[in-house]
Amino acid sequence: MKISVYFLPLEIKESELKGKVAIVIDVLRASTTLIVAISNGAKQIIPVSSIEKAYELKQVLAEIRPLLAGERNGKKLPNFDLGNSPFEYKPEIVSGKTIIYASTNGSPTITLVGKLADATYIAGFVNLPSVAKLIEELRKDVVIVCAGKANSFSLEDSICAGMLTNFIMVERKFEPVGDGANASLVIYERFKKDIAGALLNSAHGRYLCELGFEQDIRLAAEVGIYKVIPYLEGKWLVGKFYGYY
Amino acid sequence: MKISVYFLPLEIKESELKGKVAIVIDVLRASTTLIVAISNGAKQIIPVSSIEKAYELKQVLAEIRPLLAGERNGKKLPNFDLGNSPFEYKPEIVSGKTIIYASTNGSPTITLVGKLADATYIAGFVNLPSVAKLIEELRKDVVIVCAGKANSFSLEDSICAGMLTNFIMVERKFEPVGDGANASLVIYERFKKDIAGALLNSAHGRYLCELGFEQDIRLAAEVGIYKVIPYLEGKWLVGKFYGYY
């Protein structure tokens, strides 16, 4: 089976995702936040591609009292219930809840990929061993799509893509294909000894530190502390629990 | 001064190129071919963003009998005088000539960057030391734009961007800024000992080998064998000769 890596959603061609398993990575912070939210009992999360769509959907779903969540430029939005820090998604707040989620890079990427791929899973460092195990069991070609940051390459997503590629290559059933997959492996090798340091020094990491979110970054760098894998069921993200790698 | 690296032209934001010196890299093969063409005496080369524009322009410039040059999917086009192999651009063919140039990735990137940046230069491995020397003398913020391949990340361009970043960092007057620049340095470090091998194994390199262009790839990997730097003067590429680094 093949593993391809795209560093930006802009690189995606429809034909390349058709019939494939897609893994979306947005380490800072959508992946991490969604994994924590589902792990802490959120019932379902609908990622939307814009703030306007989030407000519209809140009206449509008024009866089930959804929470509005997300950010622009890292900051919580007016009239939103939650921002994009995983520490806000505590069990007592999200358990059993429906969440409408509008982040800057992650949620548009998830909605785009969801339309094209056969199956769409969310990966971050925090659930990476479980995602690797799942992929090995699915035994299908895999396309890893990094969300990047505002249409720019992001180091943290490429390291995570490289780690995932590295993990699923171990048993030699999967083969990295294309320049993205090969470059991600090189980038992962360089930074694997200090993931937290790499994240803190990345462009997005530095920006989030300035906003006071250093603990979010340190959490995002903790490999395998969660076993849940958010995945799309139609337009909704729900959770699959998966054993350790 | 700052060095930024974009792996894809899609990443370019207008505000980030304004007032900057831009370096366009398309190792396989636009950069290499343009450098060879200018070095072999081509008077001026106008890069165009489509084949249609190339044909149109040929009519407009009929009086000066321009050569039509370029490719789609690596192959020479019908009614074109030249393809995209640097070996076609011999002195006896291009000397003193005006060339209209339509390649798949390189020429649209050059025309886009040319509209936004203060100055636009073309770099490949073959003229890299001269470009590094020029940048150091210009003493301005530099943005390196990789052309990529059909809107996808390309390994060969990222290695070249990393080498250029590495060369101009030596005297500590330039500082890499952002995730692209830092990742390019990591990728360059990994492949610097065998540039030709990396190019031959890249996705685009393999494809060109299949088409019979292995010698083009080996030429493109020869660091510093040319001293000329093509640059935009209005819409025209002309040459600046520059000493060794």
Side-chain angles (χ1 to χ4, degrees):
Chain A
M1 282 83 68
K2 295 171 184 168
I3 318 163
S4 313
V5 173
Y6 295 101
F7 290 134
L8 288 173
L10 292 167
E11 293 185 61
I12 300 170
K13 286 152 201 88
E14 197 172 329
S15 60
E16 291 164 344
L17 276 183
K18 216 173 168 183
K20 304 276 174 66
V21 170
I23 312 292
V24 174
I25 293 177
D26 185 9
V27 170
L28 298 175
R29 293 174 285 173
S31 290
T32 312
T33 298
L34 292 167
I35 293 160
V36 169
I38 298 271
S39 189
N40 284 346
K43 186 181 166 196
Q44 51 191 5
I45 303 174
I46 184 159
V48 291
S49 56
S50 70
I51 297 166
E52 296 65 37
K53 287 202 177 154
Y55 285 124
E56 268 175 46
L57 204 59
K58 194 181 175 173
Q59 302 297 323
V60 175
L61 300 173
E63 209 169 306
I64 57 171
R65 304 173 67 91
L67 297 175
L68 269 188
E71 49 72 39
R72 276 304 173 271
N73 301 318
K75 294 169 194 160
K76 191 173 154 181
L77 293 156
N79 306 320
F80 269 46
D81 303 294
L82 294 162
N84 199 21
S85 170
F87 291 97
E88 296 177 65
Y89 294 68
K90 296 182 200 304
E92 59 270 30
I93 292 171
V94 301
S95 184
K97 290 286 170 62
T98 291
I99 299 173
I100 301 166
Y101 182 76
S103 73
T104 311
N105 308 297
S107 57
T109 305
I110 298 165
T111 55
L112 173 67
V113 170
K115 281 178 203 156
L116 305 174
D118 257 24
T120 304
Y121 298 90
I122 311 299
F125 289 107
V126 295
N127 73 345
L128 196 136
S130 296
V131 175
K133 191 170 159 63
L134 170 73
I135 291 171
E136 287 192 340
E137 293 186 9
L138 291 173
R139 305 178 69 85
K140 284 186 176 181
D141 290 348
V142 169
V143 178
I144 301 173
V145 181
C146 299
K149 184 175 187 295
N151 290 339
S152 288
F153 171 85
S154 93
L155 195 65
E156 66 278 12
D157 293 347
S158 66
I159 299 170
C160 189
M163 182 185 267
L164 186 53
T165 302
N166 177 280
F167 273 38
I168 55 182
M169 278 168 61
V170 170
E171 295 193 17
R172 298 181 185 279
K173 287 174 198 148
F174 285 86
E175 175 197 16
V177 167
D179 289 357
N182 287 311
S184 76
L185 287 167
V186 170
I187 294 167
Y188 164 64
E189 280 299 325
R190 165 65 183 77
F191 293 106
K192 68 180 181 184
K193 286 187 183 151
D194 183 14
I195 303 288
L199 266 55
L200 288 163
N201 277 314
S202 71
H204 200 173
R206 286 178 189 210
Y207 177 72
L208 288 173
C209 275
E210 279 172 24
L211 295 181
F213 290 119
E214 184 178 330
Q215 65 172 357
D216 291 24
I217 303 166
R218 294 194 179 277
L219 175 71
E222 296 278 352
V223 178
I225 56 169
Y226 288 94
K227 295 185 188 175
V228 73
I229 306 169
Y231 68 99
L232 278 179
E233 205 167 69
K235 293 187 169 185
W236 296 91
L237 286 168
V238 293
K240 191 188 277 289
F241 280 84
Y242 232 82
Y244 277 114
Y245 186 73
Chain B
M1 281 85 64
K2 294 172 186 166
I3 318 163
S4 314
V5 172
Y6 295 101
F7 289 134
L8 288 173
L10 292 166
E11 293 184 62
I12 299 170
K13 286 152 199 86
E14 197 173 329
S15 60
E16 290 164 344
L17 276 183
K18 216 175 167 181
K20 303 275 174 67
V21 170
I23 312 291
V24 174
I25 293 177
D26 185 8
V27 170
L28 297 176
R29 293 173 287 173
S31 290
T32 311
T33 298
L34 293 168
I35 293 160
V36 170
I38 299 271
S39 190
N40 283 347
K43 187 181 165 197
Q44 50 191 5
I45 302 174
I46 185 159
V48 292
S49 55
S50 69
I51 297 166
E52 296 66 37
K53 286 200 178 158
Y55 284 125
E56 268 175 48
L57 205 59
K58 192 179 176 174
Q59 302 297 323
V60 175
L61 299 173
E63 210 170 307
I64 57 170
R65 305 174 67 92
L67 297 175
L68 269 188
E71 49 72 40
R72 277 302 173 273
N73 301 319
K75 296 168 193 161
K76 191 173 154 182
L77 291 157
N79 306 319
F80 269 47
D81 303 295
L82 295 162
N84 199 21
S85 169
F87 291 98
E88 296 177 65
Y89 293 69
K90 296 182 200 304
E92 58 269 31
I93 293 170
V94 301
S95 184
K97 291 285 170 60
T98 291
I99 299 173
I100 300 166
Y101 182 77
S103 73
T104 312
N105 308 295
S107 56
T109 305
I110 299 165
T111 55
L112 174 67
V113 170
K115 281 179 202 154
L116 305 174
D118 257 25
T120 303
Y121 298 90
I122 311 299
F125 289 107
V126 295
N127 73 346
L128 196 137
S130 296
V131 175
K133 191 169 160 61
L134 170 73
I135 291 170
E136 288 192 340
E137 293 185 8
L138 291 172
R139 304 177 69 85
K140 283 186 176 179
D141 289 348
V142 169
V143 179
I144 301 173
V145 182
C146 300
K149 182 173 187 297
N151 290 338
S152 288
F153 172 84
S154 93
L155 195 64
E156 67 277 12
D157 292 347
S158 68
I159 299 170
C160 189
M163 182 186 268
L164 186 54
T165 303
N166 177 281
F167 273 37
I168 55 182
M169 279 169 61
V170 170
E171 294 192 17
R172 297 182 186 280
K173 286 173 197 148
F174 285 85
E175 177 198 13
V177 168
D179 290 356
N182 286 313
S184 76
L185 287 167
V186 170
I187 294 167
Y188 164 64
E189 280 299 327
R190 166 65 183 77
F191 293 106
K192 67 180 181 184
K193 285 187 185 154
D194 183 14
I195 302 289
L199 265 55
L200 288 164
N201 278 312
S202 71
H204 200 172
R206 287 177 189 210
Y207 178 71
L208 288 173
C209 276
E210 280 171 24
L211 296 181
F213 291 118
E214 183 179 329
Q215 63 171 356
D216 291 25
I217 303 165
R218 295 197 179 275
L219 176 71
E222 297 278 352
V223 178
I225 57 169
Y226 288 95
K227 294 184 187 176
V228 72
I229 306 169
Y231 69 98
L232 279 178
E233 205 167 71
K235 293 188 170 184
W236 295 92
L237 285 169
V238 292
K240 192 189 276 287
F241 281 84
Y242 232 82
Y244 277 113
Y245 185 71

